[in-house]
Amino acid sequence: MDAVQFAAHGDREVVEYGPSPEPTLGSDDVLLDVRAGALNHLDVWTRRGLPGIDLDFPHVPGSDAAGVVVAVGDAVERFGPGDRVAVTAGRSCGACEFCRDGEPTLCVNYEILGEHCPGVHAERTAVPADALVPVPEGVDWTTAGAAPLVFGTAWRMLHTRGEIDAGETVLVLGASGGVGHAAVQIADHAGCAVIATASSDEKRATARRLGADLAIDYEARDFADAVRAETGQRGVDVVVDHVGAATWRQSLRSLANGGRLLTCGATTGPTPETNVNRIFGNQLSVHGSTMAGPGEFDDVLELVWDGTFEVLIRAVLPMSETARGHELLEEREGFGKVVVVPDSEYEGGADE
């Protein structure tokens, strides 16, 4: 079979697509015939190399995928051949204190498919059964392959960690990205007023269509100044910041007294300068968050599958052009998710 892979960390040219060993099916695993996957900024960081993570090369990346079950391990009862499923990526050990307390996303041995261990961007992949969710008939493969990680992440960040309430004002940075466009819709669905940031007229118009009440051009003006002006100098109750170093100080300045800053990533760098005086003086809270747990995935994906939330796709590419997909993410081209499809499936389209 063929798979996306790289034999060393580096720039986009290290990404290849070619022969890879067939996956080995464990007793708790499901063998999946992949119909579509999706890229995340996590794939870019994994390709470049993440501190403290030693990969076995060649490494198959990818944390998002959906497809049809081909076979199941002896211990699997939940799924059978022919089932439509999507990957949820996170793997907890089930034995540490956090897992025992019902908090698997805080697991001390937590792994993410494609980051800590082999991923799912291949013609076929073996995935633990507890890292899969059913996909209803009628949901197209691009949606199924692109939704879980970003919508699960945004849902946990806003509802579980941020505890947003109707009537609050939420600022979403980078609304054109995967997590950003999910967060806009989730906050709007919860009854919040939503302010989004985006760099082009087209992106800002799309953010408004998805539920943003106001969209700010962060390249034309300091977005914290704009937020203060639009809220009568009060600021917002919640900021969703997955950008990191480039936006951190403005994010803190955008918050009202007692506000919450939610973070799930740092695409511009993980070590921003922080005004500690503002944090304690204005009694701000900073909440870190990662991807969703099982119940959270169920809650948000039900709203994706029924069409309440829209998964925007900026490009559908064959897996042999995954490097181009990395370029789209790194250059911030387009709005929404980049989907990759096995070359053997691509000619007929991912939605068939």
Side-chain angles (χ1 to χ4, degrees):
M1 72 161 192
D2 289 334
V4 179
Q5 54 199 303
F6 52 86
H9 294 301
D11 208 342
R12 293 188 292 266
E13 67 268 11
V14 304
V15 180
E16 299 179 347
Y17 184 68
S20 181
E22 288 285 344
T24 301
L25 187 66
S27 62
D28 296 315
D29 293 341
V30 169
L31 181 63
L32 187 63
D33 183 10
V34 175
R35 300 300 174 85
L39 296 178
N40 298 281
H41 276 282
L42 175 60
D43 297 299
V44 173
W45 291 110
T46 302
R47 186 202 79 215
R48 294 175 181 174
L50 289 165
I53 298 178
D54 295 321
L55 299 177
D56 291 328
F57 293 118
H59 177 71
V60 176
S63 303
D64 266 328
V68 178
V69 174
V70 176
V72 301
D74 295 338
V76 176
E77 298 180 353
R78 187 182 177 197
F79 299 106
D83 287 350
R84 293 162 51 90
V85 296
V87 174
T88 59
R91 299 169 58 180
S92 56
C93 70
C96 71
E97 62 173 298
F98 300 102
C99 289
R100 293 194 300 270
D101 290 342
E103 288 287 351
T105 62
L106 300 180
C107 173
V108 297
N109 301 304
Y110 196 73
E111 292 186 327
I112 298 174
L113 297 172
E115 179 182 3
H116 304 91
C117 51
V120 292
H121 288 173
E123 289 184 300
R124 287 174 293 283
T125 186
V127 180
D130 59 6
L132 294 170
V133 292
V135 175
E137 293 288 342
V139 176
D140 64 78
W141 289 122
T142 54
T143 295
L149 192 148
V150 294
F151 276 86
T153 297
W155 184 271
R156 176 175 175 79
M157 184 165 44
L158 286 163
H159 280 293
T160 305
R161 301 291 290 150
E163 298 181 317
I164 57 172
D165 284 326
E168 291 190 306
T169 302
V170 177
L171 170 64
V172 178
L173 305 188
S176 64
V179 170
H181 93 292
V184 167
Q185 295 178 75
I186 291 167
D188 176 61
H189 182 262
C192 298
V194 181
I195 301 174
T197 70
S199 61
S200 70
D201 291 340
E202 181 180 4
K203 290 179 179 179
R204 291 190 294 277
T206 303
R208 288 190 293 269
R209 182 177 68 77
L210 292 177
D213 300 281
L214 173 68
I216 295 170
D217 182 353
Y218 65 85
E219 292 186 337
R221 61 194 299 202
D222 182 302
F223 70 78
D225 289 343
V227 166
R228 288 283 173 180
E230 294 290 343
T231 60
Q233 300 305 313
R234 175 186 182 274
V236 299
D237 300 290
V238 175
V239 173
V240 174
D241 186 335
H242 50 90
V243 181
T247 56
W248 194 258
R249 292 177 69 87
Q250 289 186 69
S251 291
L252 291 174
R253 286 200 297 114
S254 298
L255 285 168
N257 288 2
R260 292 101 74 198
L261 195 160
L262 312 178
T263 176
C264 67
T267 56
T268 61
T271 55
E273 292 185 3
T274 295
N275 186 336
V276 177
N277 291 343
R278 179 175 289 274
I279 294 175
F280 68 71
N282 292 359
Q283 300 188 52
L284 307 179
S285 300
V286 177
H287 298 268
S289 190
T290 54
M291 66 180 61
E296 295 158 331
F297 273 119
D298 293 338
D299 290 341
V300 70
L301 290 178
E302 181 179 351
L303 295 170
V304 174
W305 303 153
D306 72 10
T308 299
F309 296 147
E310 180 181 358
V311 184
L312 290 189
I313 307 298
R314 71 179 77 179
V316 179
L317 304 171
M319 284 188 178
S320 57
E321 295 181 18
T322 295
R324 167 61 179 153
H326 282 227
E327 182 181 13
L328 290 172
L329 294 183
E330 291 176 296
E331 300 301 324
R332 297 183 292 122
E333 297 181 36
F335 199 114
K337 297 283 288 178
V338 177
V339 171
V340 290
V341 177
D343 284 35
S344 57
E345 297 282 341
Y346 184 75
E347 184 176 356
D351 296 345
E352 291 193 350

